Amino acid sequence: MAYNVLIVDDSSIVRKVLLKSFGMTSIPVNSFHEAENGKIALEKLEKNWIDIIFLDINMPVMDGMEFIERIRSDNRWNETPVVIVSTEGSKERRDTLLKNGVKAYLRKPVTPEVLVETIEKVLGPGA
Amino acid sequence: MENQHPLKVTAEKVLQDWAMMIIEPLEVNCESFDSNQPLYMSWIDIYSDGVLNGALSILAQERFLRVLGSNLLGAAEPSDVSEEEFLDAFKEMGNVLTGNFITEAYGDDLVFQLRNPNVTQIPFSDLERFVDRKVVYGFTADDAPVAVTFSMKDVEA
């Protein structure tokens, strides 16, 4: 199965580097979608089927925390797996997000090996 | 020990592992950088409990920034990287360095927020005030100078 991936980060470099990391794995990807903030990410979700979301926390317009609240309150997307990719690594923040349904919390920088492990953990083995 | 300061340790790791550069230590002074080239600063504010507690800054010039952008993007040549791309890469470097440094220095228990990441050109004369800081580390990364410094109130590293 090939996946539809949404990458949400205000840095175009981060989005490109994550795309590049995906390219260094054998994860089958059907489509990549990018958004520079939570508001645009919601627009992408309205128009596209997304299997997994990689999400930054600190973004202008709509940050990652608000985005998570919005999708978790919407039946259309409340089951869509979300993986946080952030530089902020406090245990408290991590635990709060994981309790709120985030599937994994990755500290930047993310290596291709960690990406593969995370996808397999979140979407199941054989990804 | 001074030579194991978490900022130095983290900067080395970020430059080598994330930015994929070969580094050497550099004593930071006004001659470390080229006065005929623009000087860029990437900085990010560090908040703890909602209060601004400090900031981390990185100083570099275009040669470093192009190599940084090129390494991150996998560009064939540093000259293939646009200004927007290398400035974005520099801003992200501030983000990555600061987040990893805070964890290295204070552990996972410190709750912090990184805000207002920014990149700007600064007058070369401003270099002096960075050189005089208590905590400042310099490197040549792929032969281009780069310096990192931070200031933090209340919490001592």
Side-chain angles (χ1 to χ4, degrees), chain A residues 9-14 16-17 20 56 58 87-94 107-110, chain B residues 18 20 69 71-74 85 88-89 92 95-96 99-100 103 108-114:
Chain A
D9 196 302
D10 58 328
S11 165
S12 68
I13 281 283
V14 168
K16 285 172 187 168
V17 169
K20 190 174 144 219
D56 188 20
N58 291 327
T87 50
E88 292 179 23
S90 74
K91 192 172 174 304
E92 185 180 312
R93 166 71 68 91
R94 203 163 59 233
R107 294 286 308 281
K108 287 180 187 174
V110 176
Chain B
W18 180 73
M20 294 171 280
N71 287 353
L72 292 178
L73 295 170
E85 285 171 334
D88 196 16
E92 183 59 18
N95 207 6
V96 170
N100 282 276
T103 305
D108 279 349
D109 291 332
L110 180 71
V111 178
F112 64 93
Q113 300 84 36
L114 306 181

Side-chain angles (χ1 to χ4, degrees), chain B residues 32-46:
Chain B
S32 310
F33 292 85
D34 182 349
S35 59
N36 295 316
Q37 295 289 324
L39 186 60
Y40 294 89
M41 179 173 73
S42 170
W43 88 89
I44 193 160
D45 293 331
I46 303 164

Side-chain angles (χ1 to χ4, degrees), chain A residues 46-59:
Chain A
E46 291 274 2
K47 294 178 184 156
N48 304 281
W49 179 264
I50 299 295
D51 294 299
I52 185 167
I53 303 170
F54 288 84
L55 175 70
D56 188 20
I57 295 291
N58 291 327
M59 294 178 290

Side-chain angles (χ1 to χ4, degrees), chain B residues 110-131:
Chain B
L110 180 71
V111 178
F112 64 93
Q113 300 84 36
L114 306 181
R115 295 187 192 162
N116 311 320
N118 217 325
V119 172
T120 189
Q121 251 189 53
I122 61 170
F124 201 85
S125 52
D126 278 8
L127 182 56
E128 266 187 60
R129 62 185 173 90
F130 288 94
V131 165

